[in-house]
Amino acid sequence: MGCFVKALFFSVSVLSLAATAVMAQTSPLPESAPPTPPIEAPRDVPYTAGTLKVAVDATDLDRKIWNVTTTMPVSKAGDFVFLYPQWVPGGHSPRNDLDKLAGLVVTANGKRIPWTRDVVSVHAFHVDVPAGVTELQISYQFLTAVEGKVGRIEVTPEMLNLQWLQVTMYPAGYYTRQIPIEASVKLPEGWKFATALETAKTEGQVTTFKPTNVEILVDSPMMAGKYFKSVELDPTGPAPVRLNLIADSPENLEAKPEYIQIHKDLVQQAYKLYGSHHYDHYDFLVAMSDKLGGIGLEHHRSSENRVAPKYFNEWDKNFVGRDLLSHEYTHSWNGKFRRAADLWTPNLNVPMRDSMMWVYEGQTQYWGNVLAARSGLLTKQQAMDSLAATAAVYDNRRGRDWRPVQDTTNDPIIANRKPLSWLSWQRSEDYYSEGLLVWLDADTLIREKTGGKKSLDDFAKAFFGVDNGSYSEKTYTFDDVVGALNGVYAYDWATFLKTRIQEVQEKAPLDGFERGGYKVVYTDTPTEFMKSAETKAKNTPLSYSLGLTVGSDGVLTDVQWGGPAFKAGLTQGLTVVAVNGEQFDGDKLKAAVKAAAKPDGQLVELLIKDGGRYRMVKIDYRGGLRYPRLERIAGTPDRLGDILTPRK
């Protein structure tokens, strides 16, 4: 089924590219911009002109500039097109940093050759190859962000995160897996690195990697730094798994044995869940930093992860978000090995389709939380509190009134992960966490119907555990997912999924909690998880009471659509100057909410700064503070507790 869909999708992609090329030739253009020749559609045949070579000099730490040279063999004269990747695997959108590519110069036999950017596909470049030329030298700079407002910080004085996707060019007309390439990098003196690529040799500051293909290269990023440590997590297992740590300072590399053991347990719990591995080795690339830009990105044989600088040294404080590693690790099975058929593409410039993200990311979000608890990255209580927080978001998200989860799978392309003014109404990539709730619903349903004999664990092993050891892609469709679920327990899974994913639902899918033995309640005291999240975010979250979240500087960072603050005319971006006549701080705001709940209490009154204007706003709310948590339902099976329990 997967191969047939892949072939069908390729045919559609080729027709789409052909149509685009025809449009490029037939659309009226100014005389100053003659139409460029058509771009050849990708073919599944070897690139026989030779092996590409890409060399990156990443030593300019002061200016954060990477100097890149690509040697591209060619086999014939005339129009030749090379591509800069457009679509970001794992980012689910066409957002590779073309704007940061500069200084592009093409030469052959020592002579400069003019290049022309394609008038339709701006990631494509045309050159007229002279007769007798057998290779092109393509040089350029990748200008990494020098400050946060320009983009994600990828270079600091202590570390860097090199994504080959951002520095690689490749010839049009071929599947990326059919294009051989050899990569090398020059790092600052004394720095060490980790990557899924295999080293061929290191001479001084330059490391050359064994030849591979473009598909594997761009899926094998590097993290490097001054302070580096690598830990074997499964030295006697079926394939090496390494925890590679790069830190802002050397003391942060030290970890208690019990914390390392938790990461070892993550590997074992994943094996128990999936019953397989889909890599010949796996490398966690972990930046322990508050200087490098945040990232959590999956790859087949590695993952990029940024955690708190004192990830180990403040273990008890840094548990919010600690399911990052278990989430990205799960993607080796779900998303990289098993991949939706309409997401698979022959190269990185053919559009991807995100329609099955509620499996790709939604079920990964679920297993990321579950494996975090089973391994000890989170305690069982922390995992439950995290689930309660997720439930509350969708229990209160008004955007569910008009927009189904399925449509949010388009958000990476629609919104390109830009900030939104009204998140609770617009929705943004809710296939992640509302998808989690749907899969919890499915898991507890299977457990209930089979008397605990079967569970979603059985689906994971049957669906992701096939072809043990293989790390080529195996595609799937909606019908494949339904079929695998029916293989575990016969049920109308098509309707179950379509109702929750494709249709607008007034209520959030919270049935999984009650079947799991718990209900979502709201109390006036936050869980330890919520307290930690508040401290980490440096804000005061009152989403389920006043309907707003305010930063430590008094700026409103979110206002719930339809909530009390919304009805009072507030929006994000405004500044709270004072609360009931006193200078703002978060604790005073909470105290005011509690006081307003008393019979003779004063409504919360805020002095709001809106640009150069000030106004007083009273919020009509007397319900007190409300924070979500899970409450045990007496006399019911603790299925949720069992889900989060380590497997023996």
Side-chain angles (χ1 to χ4, degrees):
M1 179 68 74
C3 293
F4 170 75
V5 172
K6 184 184 294 186
L8 177 61
F9 176 63
F10 170 61
S11 299
V12 173
S13 300
V14 170
L15 289 173
S16 299
L17 286 172
T20 302
V22 170
M23 290 175 62
Q25 295 183 76
T26 59
S27 299
L29 295 169
E31 290 184 4
S32 59
T36 50
I39 301 171
E40 190 177 5
R43 297 168 295 141
D44 194 8
V45 297
Y47 186 67
T48 58
T51 299
L52 279 65
K53 293 184 179 181
V54 57
V56 180
D57 185 335
T59 58
D60 191 346
L61 301 179
D62 294 331
R63 293 174 294 193
K64 300 179 171 62
I65 296 171
W66 294 337
N67 287 287
V68 188
T69 301
T70 294
T71 302
M72 192 169 297
V74 294
S75 57
K76 61 181 180 179
D79 183 67
F80 180 83
V81 181
F82 58 88
L83 305 173
Y84 183 74
Q86 181 179 10
W87 285 77
V88 180
H92 317 310
S93 62
R95 61 184 177 93
N96 200 24
D97 292 310
L98 180 62
D99 59 309
K100 295 181 175 63
L101 187 149
L104 180 63
V105 174
V106 181
T107 61
N109 295 336
K111 295 181 179 180
R112 190 162 178 167
I113 300 176
W115 55 266
T116 302
R117 194 188 299 265
D118 192 86
V119 295
V120 175
S121 301
V122 296
H123 290 71
F125 301 86
H126 296 255
V127 294
D128 187 6
V129 178
V133 168
T134 58
E135 66 179 30
L136 302 176
Q137 296 290 327
I138 307 170
S139 62
Y140 44 98
Q141 294 83 45
F142 185 79
L143 310 176
T144 75
V146 296
E147 53 182 335
K149 68 179 182 181
V150 178
R152 176 176 169 264
I153 299 299
E154 296 172 280
V155 178
T156 78
E158 295 82 26
M159 66 179 69
L160 62 83
N161 181 192
L162 173 62
Q163 295 180 323
W164 298 103
L165 183 81
Q166 296 177 322
V167 296
T168 297
M169 302 280 199
Y170 65 94
Y174 299 85
Y175 282 25
T176 49
R177 70 187 182 201
Q178 294 280 18
I179 305 170
I181 191 167
E182 178 186 279
S184 64
V185 61
K186 182 179 182 182
L187 294 172
E189 190 169 1
W191 280 30
K192 296 180 180 179
F193 67 86
T195 174
L197 296 176
E198 297 180 12
T199 299
K201 61 179 179 179
T202 298
E203 296 177 339
Q205 294 171 243
V206 178
T207 295
T208 302
F209 300 98
K210 294 179 181 179
T212 185
N213 61 57
V214 170
E215 182 176 282
I216 291 177
L217 176 69
V218 299
D219 195 43
S220 306
M222 165 189 286
M223 281 192 180
K226 185 183 297 186
Y227 309 116
F228 175 91
K229 183 177 183 180
S230 185
V231 180
E232 293 287 345
L233 296 182
D234 192 24
T236 61
V241 180
R242 293 176 284 263
L243 180 67
N244 301 287
L245 306 169
I246 301 97
D248 286 338
S249 56
E251 61 271 16
N252 289 340
L253 292 174
E254 299 307 313
K256 293 181 178 179
E258 55 264 37
Y259 300 155
I260 296 298
Q261 184 61 48
I262 287 171
H263 293 78
K264 292 180 178 180
D265 291 343
L266 171 59
V267 177
Q268 298 308 316
Q269 288 298 318
Y271 286 167
K272 292 178 188 301
L273 174 63
Y274 300 116
S276 66
H277 67 283
H278 297 294
Y279 44 75
D280 54 353
H281 59 87
Y282 189 92
D283 285 271
F284 289 98
L285 312 180
V286 182
M288 303 163 65
S289 176
D290 56 7
K291 300 176 183 178
L292 198 74
I295 193 169
L297 190 59
E298 68 270 15
H299 304 280
H300 211 137
R301 299 187 294 165
S302 64
S303 58
E304 297 167 273
N305 311 271
R306 198 211 63 179
V307 299
K310 297 182 179 181
Y311 178 71
F312 292 118
N313 294 342
E314 295 182 349
W315 185 263
D316 293 338
K317 295 181 181 179
N318 291 323
F319 56 85
V320 174
R322 206 153 57 205
D323 59 335
L324 174 65
L325 269 66
S326 51
H327 178 103
E328 303 304 345
Y329 188 39
T330 283
H331 270 314
S332 182
W333 288 265
N334 181 11
K336 303 308 289 187
F337 171 60
R338 292 309 306 263
R339 194 176 310 178
D342 65 353
L343 187 66
W344 182 92
T345 59
N347 71 20
L348 296 163
N349 294 72
V350 172
M352 301 175 186
R353 274 75 167 178
D354 292 342
S355 68
M356 298 287 286
M357 282 291 119
W358 50 275
V359 180
Y360 182 121
E361 293 290 4
Q363 196 168 138
T364 297
Q365 192 81 345
Y366 180 66
W367 291 127
N369 188 278
V370 169
L371 286 175
R374 291 181 184 179
S375 65
L377 285 169
L378 297 175
T379 66
K380 183 181 288 189
Q381 188 60 52
Q382 288 165 352
M384 286 191 174
D385 291 345
S386 174
L387 289 169
T390 298
V393 168
Y394 296 99
D395 193 29
N396 292 272
R397 180 151 289 182
R398 289 291 304 278
R400 304 188 71 262
D401 295 347
W402 70 275
R403 192 177 185 197
V405 173
Q406 182 66 65
D407 192 55
T408 72
T409 66
N410 298 302
D411 277 342
I413 302 167
I414 293 172
N416 208 14
R417 296 186 170 173
K418 296 189 297 289
L420 301 175
S421 297
W422 298 102
L423 176 61
S424 62
W425 184 240
Q426 292 169 275
R427 309 193 78 173
S428 179
E429 301 191 42
D430 285 354
Y431 54 83
Y432 272 89
S433 293
E434 190 162 341
L436 176 156
L437 298 177
V438 170
W439 290 112
L440 174 62
D441 196 354
D443 196 352
T444 54
L445 177 63
I446 295 170
R447 290 167 184 269
E448 178 187 63
K449 296 294 186 181
T450 65
K453 295 177 181 178
K454 296 284 186 178
S455 71
L456 201 65
D457 289 48
D458 297 289
F459 169 86
K461 188 166 291 187
F463 197 69
F464 303 117
V466 296
D467 299 345
N468 185 33
S470 168
Y471 58 93
S472 60
E473 304 91 352
K474 186 177 180 66
T475 61
Y476 62 85
T477 65
F478 178 86
D479 288 344
D480 293 328
V481 175
V482 169
L485 285 167
N486 276 314
V488 176
Y489 174 71
Y491 190 74
D492 187 2
W493 290 108
T495 299
F496 176 94
L497 294 172
K498 287 178 180 178
T499 301
R500 290 159 177 77
I501 300 297
Q502 298 178 8
E503 298 176 10
V504 171
Q505 295 291 307
E506 186 177 326
K507 293 178 61 178
L510 303 184
D511 291 347
F513 288 100
E514 292 205 12
R515 272 198 228 94
Y518 294 80
K519 60 182 176 180
V520 181
V521 299
Y522 295 85
T523 70
D524 61 3
T525 305
T527 62
E528 289 303 313
F529 186 92
M530 293 290 289
K531 288 180 184 177
S532 182
E534 180 177 341
T535 299
K536 183 177 180 179
K538 299 178 181 178
N539 64 20
T540 302
L542 300 172
S543 295
Y544 314 125
S545 52
L546 292 184
L548 58 79
T549 299
V550 57
S552 58
D553 57 359
V555 176
L556 293 176
T557 58
D558 185 60
V559 173
Q560 290 275 6
W561 187 274
F566 177 93
K567 292 175 181 177
L570 298 182
T571 69
Q572 73 175 44
L574 302 177
T575 301
V576 180
V577 178
V579 180
N580 291 352
E582 296 187 35
Q583 183 175 338
F584 165 80
D585 72 39
D587 289 338
K588 288 177 184 174
L589 182 57
K590 291 177 187 176
V593 174
K594 292 176 70 174
K598 297 178 180 179
D600 59 346
Q602 171 190 348
L603 288 176
V604 175
E605 187 174 57
L606 305 178
L607 175 60
I608 298 294
K609 182 177 184 294
D610 183 356
R613 298 185 177 186
Y614 292 81
R615 57 189 167 102
M616 298 298 297
V617 173
K618 281 189 177 181
I619 301 180
D620 187 8
Y621 175 76
R622 295 188 180 278
L625 295 171
R626 296 179 78 240
Y627 299 100
R629 65 174 66 235
L630 296 184
E631 184 178 280
R632 188 80 173 87
I633 301 173
T636 61
D638 187 3
R639 296 189 179 100
L640 180 56
D642 182 63
I643 288 170
L644 301 175
T645 298
R647 295 306 181 245
K648 301 297 184 182

